[in-house]
Amino acid sequence: MKRYFHLLTVCCAVLLMNSVFCPDSSARQRLVFGGGPAGGTFQVVANAVQVYKPVAELAEFTVKAEYSAGSTENLIKVDAGSMDFGVVYSGEVYQARNGTLKNHPGKYEKVMAVARLYGAPAQLVVRADSGISRVRDLKGKKVDVGNPGSGAFATCELFLGHLGLWDSMDRKTMGYNDAAAAFSNREVDAFWLFTAFPSGAILMATQTNDIRIIDLDTDAQLSGFYKKYPNFSKFSIPAGSYRGVDTDVPTFQDAALWVAGSGVSPDAVYRLLSLIFTEEGLKHMAGQKKTFREMSIANGIKDIVTPLHPGAEKFWREKGVLK
C-alpha cells in the first residue's frame, strides 16, 4: 500500500511539473475572431490571421476564427464580448457608436477599430437587357439585398431607405453565390453586393448573362448620402473588371475594418498588429486573397472615423501614421 501511495505521489508530481513547464495549447487564452459566411472575404480574413504561423505559435493566446452572418453580427457580438475580434464595416461602427444603426437601437461603444483591411464598393448588378439603368428603376423589381446580419444587407437598407426605395421592391435575401445563381435563372432582376472587386459572384453571373452595373454615386451625391454618412466615399469600378463592363462605373465604398472589443488586452491587440503588419505578415495575407494587397502601414488607419483600441493606438503611433 505504501508503494502504491508513493507511486501515486510521483505521478501527480510529474503531471504538475508538466502543467507548469510544458503548458498545453488548450491552456492559452482563446480569442475569437468573427469572420463571415463560408467562402466570403470576411471569413478569409479571420482564417488568415488564425493560421499565420507566428500567430499560431504564440504562447500567450490562440486566435480562433468563427463563422458569422457578417458585419452586423460581428459588431453586436464584439460589443457583447462573445467575440474578441471581428471584421466590421467602418460605417456600421460609426452608426452603432452614435446610436443610429438601423434596427439596432442603443449605442454600441465597446467596438473599437484596430486596422483598415480593404475598401468595399457597393455593386448593383442587373441584366444588360433589363431596362434598369438607374437606381429608381428598381421599383417593383425582384432584388436580392444580401443576407440579414451582413454588411451588404445593412448598407443596402441604409442606401435604398435613404432614397425612399426600400419598401418599393420585392426583396430577396441571399448570399452572393446564391444570388448570382438566382440572377442567372431569372429569379431576381438585380442583386446587390458590398465587397471587394472583382467579385467571384459577379464573375459567375457573367458566364451566362450580359450584365450592367448601375451608377450609385450620382444618387448618393444628389440625395446628400455622403454628407449624412461621412464614412462612405466615392469610388469607381474600373472598366474591364467584368465582362461587358467597358467603362468605369461610379459608385461608393466603405472600408472593412478589423475591430476589437474594448475589454481585449491592449497587449494582445498590439502583438497581433506587430505580427500581421510586417513584410512577411502582409505577404501572407495577400497570399490568402488578392484583395488584401490593400493592407499596408500607410493605409492602416485610413477611413477610420471612430476611436482606436488602445493597443492599436500604441502600434500606429509608433509607426508614425497616427500623430
Side-chain angles (χ1 to χ4, degrees):
M1 182 64 71
K2 289 183 179 179
R3 288 184 61 191
Y4 171 77
F5 281 112
H6 176 70
L7 181 60
L8 182 61
T9 301
V10 171
C11 289
C12 290
V14 170
L15 289 172
L16 179 62
M17 289 178 66
N18 282 340
S19 67
V20 172
F21 296 106
C22 303
D24 187 85
S25 61
S26 62
R28 292 183 292 170
Q29 182 185 10
R30 182 173 181 268
L31 298 178
V32 176
F33 200 131
T41 304
F42 278 21
Q43 189 60 31
V44 179
V45 172
N47 289 340
V49 174
Q50 174 185 273
V51 303
Y52 184 44
K53 190 174 180 181
V55 172
E57 292 178 345
L58 284 170
E60 307 96 311
F61 57 84
T62 181
V63 175
K64 174 63 177 174
E66 187 172 287
Y67 292 107
S68 79
S71 179
T72 307
E73 181 179 338
N74 291 345
L75 183 144
I76 292 169
K77 288 188 173 180
V78 168
D79 187 82
S82 56
M83 284 180 178
D84 302 286
F85 302 111
V87 186
V88 180
Y89 287 117
S90 179
E92 289 204 81
V93 180
Y94 175 81
Q95 294 161 48
R97 289 192 69 87
N98 288 282
T100 61
L101 188 63
K102 187 77 172 180
N103 301 323
H104 296 282
K107 293 186 177 182
Y108 295 77
E109 298 179 320
K110 297 179 182 178
V111 181
M112 311 193 80
V114 171
R116 181 190 192 273
L117 297 169
Y118 58 90
Q123 300 169 73
L124 178 61
V125 184
V126 301
R127 281 180 288 276
D129 62 357
S130 66
I132 302 171
S133 60
R134 58 179 188 169
V135 182
R136 297 194 179 280
D137 294 332
L138 295 176
K139 287 183 179 180
K141 303 295 185 180
K142 296 178 180 178
V143 182
D144 177 76
V145 297
N147 270 329
S150 69
F153 181 97
T155 306
C156 188
E157 184 179 18
L158 186 73
F159 180 61
L160 296 183
H162 178 76
L163 298 179
L165 296 172
W166 183 250
D167 293 322
S168 70
M169 309 172 302
D170 181 2
R171 298 192 303 270
K172 309 297 180 183
T173 54
M174 290 175 275
Y176 294 156
N177 288 346
D178 289 340
F183 179 80
S184 296
N185 293 331
R186 295 186 174 264
E187 295 168 7
V188 295
D189 302 301
F191 68 108
W192 169 281
L193 304 91
F194 199 63
T195 187
F197 72 93
S199 160
I202 299 179
L203 293 173
M204 183 170 69
T206 62
Q207 294 176 7
T208 54
N209 300 270
D210 292 326
I211 70 163
R212 175 186 293 136
I213 299 180
I214 301 300
D215 171 1
L216 302 177
D217 171 64
T218 298
D219 283 301
Q221 290 194 61
L222 293 176
S223 67
F225 184 70
Y226 294 134
K227 185 176 181 180
K228 187 173 182 179
Y229 302 103
N231 54 285
F232 295 108
S233 59
K234 180 175 180 177
F235 185 80
S236 288
I237 299 170
S241 295
Y242 303 107
R243 183 178 67 83
V245 180
D246 300 323
T247 60
D248 293 352
V249 181
T251 183
F252 60 84
Q253 72 167 354
D254 197 0
L257 304 184
W258 174 357
V259 303
S262 59
V264 177
S265 162
D267 289 340
V269 173
Y270 179 87
R271 190 71 185 278
L272 286 175
L273 284 171
S274 299
L275 293 174
I276 296 297
F277 280 85
T278 61
E279 183 178 349
E280 297 79 11
L282 293 173
K283 183 178 179 180
H284 163 75
M285 296 299 292
Q288 303 300 303
K289 194 174 179 68
K290 292 180 180 179
T291 303
F292 305 150
R293 290 175 180 173
E294 286 190 44
M295 293 175 63
S296 68
I297 295 293
N299 289 336
I301 59 173
K302 180 182 176 183
D303 300 323
I304 294 176
V305 294
T306 51
L308 287 166
H309 190 283
E313 184 175 341
K314 176 184 176 183
F315 178 81
W316 295 115
R317 197 176 297 281
E318 286 182 0
K319 294 300 179 182
V321 295
L322 180 64
K323 306 302 181 183

